[in-house]
Amino acid sequence: RERVLAAIAKEPRRIETRASRPMAWWRAFEWAGAVAVVVMVLLLVRQNNDLQRRVADLQSSSARQQQQLLQAKQLVGTLTSADAEHYVLVAGKSPPQPQGRAIYVSSSGTLVFLASNLPQLPPQKIYELWLIPTKGTPIPAGLFRPNPQGSAAVVKPPLPAGTEAKTFAITVEPEAGSAAPTSQPIMVGSKG
């Protein structure tokens, strides 16, 4: 028995020290770092999604502004074109005399019509502007109601490009408009 005790005493003992034990605080630090990385990735993904949404909104806004700019350029082009034909539409000689002006560019089918001193119509009626081509039947060029002062405008109605105009006319039509004039024109244009 003494021998066994002596042999045990001679054996090297493993003494556990702080250096040989895994550090619990280091593992906690690793977990905290991993959580921080995950949180940072989630924040970056969210920020990226927000930025992509903002870019899409800006692109949409830019496209709308480009379209509005194009329409404004076309309108100015119509008003200032050397090819623009001007028509004055007049009614009888009752004061104040209703008057309308049509500015038309046949090559692009672009029309700007301005009216003044028009009488008000009953609710179930509306004014309809017609392009009277040199060949063919009248083409609807827009419905309009004058404001309380008798002014109205029709800007860029959908007209076929390349249609040569003989004149323009205005009729009084049912509220929904007509595919062809249903009454005699109350105003007819003359070039000039």
Side-chain angles (χ1 to χ4, degrees):
R1 188 170 179 213
E2 286 181 18
R3 258 194 215 184
V4 171
L5 288 175
I8 290 175
K10 286 185 182 178
E11 265 191 41
R13 290 201 174 158
R14 187 170 174 181
I15 299 173
E16 201 168 296
T17 65
R18 278 185 147 177
S20 65
R21 205 175 346 141
M23 294 184 209
W25 66 270
W26 185 254
R27 288 196 184 223
F29 182 71
E30 289 175 345
W31 278 105
V35 168
V37 166
V38 167
V39 167
M40 188 65 112
V41 166
L42 291 175
L43 288 174
L44 288 173
V45 166
R46 182 177 175 196
Q47 186 179 22
N48 184 40
N49 289 340
D50 288 344
L51 288 174
Q52 286 179 347
R53 182 185 46 78
R54 287 181 188 169
V55 166
D57 290 347
L58 287 172
Q59 287 173 335
S60 175
S61 175
S62 176
R64 280 192 307 273
Q65 289 175 352
Q66 288 292 333
Q67 182 63 29
Q68 290 171 347
L69 179 61
L70 178 63
Q71 288 177 347
K73 284 181 179 179
Q74 289 174 340
L75 179 59
V76 168
T78 298
L79 294 173
T80 60
S81 174
D83 296 337
E85 299 171 350
H86 296 248
Y87 296 85
V88 177
L89 288 70
V90 295
K93 297 181 180 182
S94 59
Q97 187 175 5
Q99 191 174 53
R101 293 194 179 274
I103 303 166
Y104 177 62
V105 178
S106 61
S107 61
S108 65
T110 307
L111 171 68
V112 175
F113 172 76
L114 305 170
S116 59
N117 303 319
L118 293 174
Q120 297 297 314
L121 293 173
Q124 69 276 15
K125 296 292 184 178
I126 196 162
Y127 288 110
E128 188 158 6
L129 178 65
W130 300 93
L131 183 155
I132 311 298
T134 54
K135 295 177 185 171
T137 59
I139 300 169
L143 303 172
F144 62 94
R145 286 191 192 284
N147 65 17
Q149 293 75 33
S151 298
V154 176
V155 179
K156 289 189 67 189
L159 292 173
T163 302
E164 293 296 325
K166 179 177 176 181
T167 191
F168 285 85
I170 297 174
T171 59
V172 176
E173 299 294 336
E175 191 172 22
S178 301
T182 62
S183 64
Q184 288 297 315
I186 60 166
M187 295 174 77
V188 178
S190 62
K191 220 183 236 189

